[in-house]
């Protein structure tokens, strides 16, 4: 069917800002691995819908999301991508200092400051939760549980009866990252999600992938339906060489997934690739209307991750080839979207894209997330 979407859906900066506000600040968004912030005082700086957020491990071991803006004069507190604060967070401009929970703990000449200046000046906080070893953030006020966003998507992919345990066999929360690759894609974030939502392009674009997964030549992928795609005869694992790179994940022993490629999209910004001996977690970070960062992380069982005999690079190479082919195609679509002749038509193989369109359209029509109420300014007496 023809889409009502024109090219400006991928090129309009104003629409992109509405999407960042309503989709990425009004939904749970995956921010990265929780083990990247392992010890009290450690932090990671994340972009969430255009807002800079510090995920900080507190002295109590909890993760918190703190808006990366000093409550005195609005300076950005931290510009490093990750690191360690120690026991407190200090603004370099005027020295206002905050605890790891965001509480204002000190300022120069604090005893001389009127109480109204420092009252209610703790850092703004962001909702944080952990799932499958990853940090998820929500900038809305009183957000719903993450499960309300995730479980319907799992049910759509694996069936309602399997929604809560479809991922259990992979033990994702216990896996360890072995490799990470970041891709700077000159394309709108939606074009990348759309690419991961269909396999109609696979026989044209992915010769290496379809040799490993012959079912993909049919044009139907594994982001819908109930079953995954079987590895080709003679292939022991999903890798460039066709060999298994690690022992099967313990939870898959004897199941049909032990020789299957599975995938699931978790909108707005996660794609999970599920394999017999490892998992790949892809996370999208929209940077501009025509630029998206995609971070791919290869996860293995802890025993395999520590085993020097495990040939992770063999598996990384195969999917990395496919990723780069996908991202070049997305960049070509971005170029085409600038044309007044742009249009799109979707065969049945691409029905998930239409569901994604409806999901985005509904999100951008919702009210904008509530902004925090500013603390009234305090007049400064003349001296």
């Amino acid at each position: 069917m023809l889409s009502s979407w024109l090219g400006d859906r991928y090129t309009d900066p104003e629409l992109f800002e509405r999407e960042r506000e309503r989709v990425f600040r009004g939904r749970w968004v995956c921010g990265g691995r929780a083990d990247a912030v392992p010890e009290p005082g450690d932090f990671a700086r994340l972009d969430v819908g255009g807002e800079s957020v510090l995920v900080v491990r507190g002295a109590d071991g909890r993760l918190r999301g703190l808006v990366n803006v000093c409550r005195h004069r609005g300076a950005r507190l931290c510009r490093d991508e990750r690191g360690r604060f120690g026991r407190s967070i200090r603004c370099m401009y005027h020295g206002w200092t905050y605890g790891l929970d965001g509480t204002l703990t000190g300022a120069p000449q604090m005893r001389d400051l009127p109480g109204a200046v420092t009252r209610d000046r703790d850092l703004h906080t962001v909702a944080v939760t952990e799932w499958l070893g990853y940090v998820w953030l929500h900038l809305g006020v009183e957000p719903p549980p993450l499960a309300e966003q995730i479980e319907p998507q799992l049910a759509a992919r694996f069936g309602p009866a399997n929604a809560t345990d479809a991922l259990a066999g992979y033990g994702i929360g216990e896996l360890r990252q072995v490799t990470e690759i970041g891709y700077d894609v000159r394309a709108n974030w939606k074009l990348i999600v759309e690419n991961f939502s269909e396999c109609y392009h696979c026989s044209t674009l992915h010769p290496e992938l379809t040799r490993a997964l012959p079912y993909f030549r049919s044009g139907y992928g594994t982001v819908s339906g109930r079953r995954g795609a079987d590895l080709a005869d003679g292939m022991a694992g999903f890798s460039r060489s066709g060999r298994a790179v690690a022992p099967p994940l313990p939870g898959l022993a004897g199941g049909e997934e032990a020789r299957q490629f599975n995938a699931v999209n978790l909108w707005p910004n996660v794609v999970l690739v599920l394999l017999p001996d490892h998992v790949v977690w892809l996370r999208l970070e929209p940077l501009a209307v025509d630029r998206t960062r995609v971070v791919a992380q290869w996860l293995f069982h802890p025993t395999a991750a520590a085993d020097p005999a495990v040939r992770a690079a063999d598996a990384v190479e195969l999917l990395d080839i496919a990723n780069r082919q996908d991202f070049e195609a997305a960049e070509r679509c971005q170029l085409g979207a600038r044309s007044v002749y742009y249009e799109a038509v979707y065969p049945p193989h691409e029905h998930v894209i239409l569901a994604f369109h409806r999901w985005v359209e509904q999100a951008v029509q919702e009210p904008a997330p509530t902004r925090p109420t500013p603390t009234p300014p305090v007049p400064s007496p003349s001296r």
Side-chain angles (χ1 to χ4, degrees):
M1 62 177 291
L2 285 173
S3 169
S4 61
W5 283 31
L6 301 177
D8 61 2
R9 292 286 186 169
Y10 309 102
T11 60
D12 182 354
E14 292 185 4
L15 175 60
F16 174 74
E17 290 304 324
R18 286 202 300 277
E19 289 171 350
R20 289 216 293 188
E21 180 178 57
R22 289 163 170 80
V23 176
F24 287 86
R25 299 205 291 271
R27 298 287 189 281
W28 285 102
V29 174
C30 177
R33 290 189 58 77
D35 60 15
V37 191
E39 301 294 335
D42 291 347
F43 73 89
R45 179 177 57 80
L46 306 174
D47 181 281
V48 183
E51 289 288 349
S52 182
V53 176
L54 298 171
V55 175
V56 182
R57 182 79 65 182
D60 56 2
R62 289 178 52 198
L63 285 178
R64 293 177 175 83
L66 307 175
V67 177
N68 190 14
V69 175
C70 180
R71 293 297 307 280
H72 170 219
R73 292 272 299 281
R76 178 156 292 189
L77 293 165
C78 179
R79 300 176 71 176
D80 295 335
E81 186 169 336
R82 64 181 54 179
R84 181 172 178 78
F85 287 129
R87 297 182 179 179
S88 62
I89 304 167
R90 185 176 185 273
C91 179
M92 55 77 66
Y93 192 7
H94 293 91
W96 280 40
T97 303
Y98 305 87
L100 299 179
D101 62 355
T103 302
L104 177 65
T105 59
Q109 294 85 46
M110 193 166 184
R111 293 181 180 178
D112 299 332
L113 300 178
V117 171
T118 57
R119 187 181 305 123
D120 298 325
R121 292 290 172 177
D122 299 339
L123 297 178
H124 290 297
T125 59
V126 172
V128 173
T129 191
E130 295 184 47
W131 182 61
L132 298 183
Y134 280 79
V135 179
W136 299 72
L137 304 101
H138 196 302
L139 270 64
V141 177
E142 297 183 356
L146 175 62
E148 292 186 12
Q149 178 175 312
I150 296 295
E151 288 184 4
Q153 301 192 59
L154 292 175
R157 167 63 182 87
F158 296 106
N162 300 315
T164 57
D165 61 0
L167 305 178
Y170 296 92
I172 298 173
E174 306 302 318
L175 303 184
R176 296 292 178 264
Q177 178 182 314
V178 171
T179 301
E180 176 180 295
I181 298 178
Y183 304 89
D184 190 347
V185 188
R186 296 290 175 172
N188 184 273
W189 71 278
K190 297 189 297 295
L191 289 172
I192 298 171
V193 174
E194 290 172 17
N195 174 85
F196 285 135
S197 299
E198 52 91 2
C199 206
Y200 188 52
H201 67 275
C202 287
S203 60
T204 305
L205 198 64
H206 297 313
E208 299 84 2
L209 188 64
T210 52
R211 278 197 293 272
L213 303 166
Y215 173 69
F216 278 11
R217 297 182 187 129
S218 70
Y220 291 96
T222 61
V223 293
S224 65
R226 301 292 181 264
R227 240 181 133 261
D230 293 332
L231 293 170
D233 292 341
M235 289 195 69
F238 183 80
S239 66
R240 190 78 165 98
S241 70
R243 296 191 296 266
V245 299
L249 294 170
L252 302 182
E256 64 180 8
E257 299 95 341
R259 277 194 51 79
Q260 285 186 352
F261 175 110
N262 273 285
V264 58
N265 292 342
L266 300 176
W267 301 330
N269 77 321
V270 169
V271 178
L272 275 178
V273 176
L274 308 166
L275 296 153
D277 51 9
H278 67 283
V279 168
V280 186
W281 188 293
L282 297 104
R283 185 177 78 253
L284 280 66
E285 301 175 3
L287 302 178
V289 68
D290 58 355
R291 185 178 170 213
T292 307
R293 184 172 185 247
V294 181
V295 179
Q297 296 169 324
W298 279 259
L299 312 177
F300 285 76
H301 188 271
T303 302
D307 186 349
V310 168
R311 301 178 296 273
D314 195 7
V316 170
E317 182 180 2
L318 179 54
L319 192 61
D320 180 49
I321 289 170
N323 285 342
R324 294 180 190 278
Q325 292 163 340
D326 283 333
F327 299 149
E328 180 184 355
E331 291 178 341
R332 287 174 179 252
C333 288
Q334 184 69 40
L335 294 172
R338 299 173 184 171
S339 172
V340 297
Y341 295 95
Y342 177 88
E343 62 180 347
V345 60
Y346 300 95
H349 311 73
E350 299 176 313
H351 67 280
V352 176
I353 295 179
L354 299 178
F356 173 62
H357 286 186
R358 290 191 293 270
W359 187 86
V360 173
E361 287 173 338
Q362 178 181 345
V364 297
Q365 291 168 8
E366 292 175 357
T370 303
R371 294 177 178 269
T373 302
T375 302
V378 177
S380 299
S382 58
R383 296 181 65 94

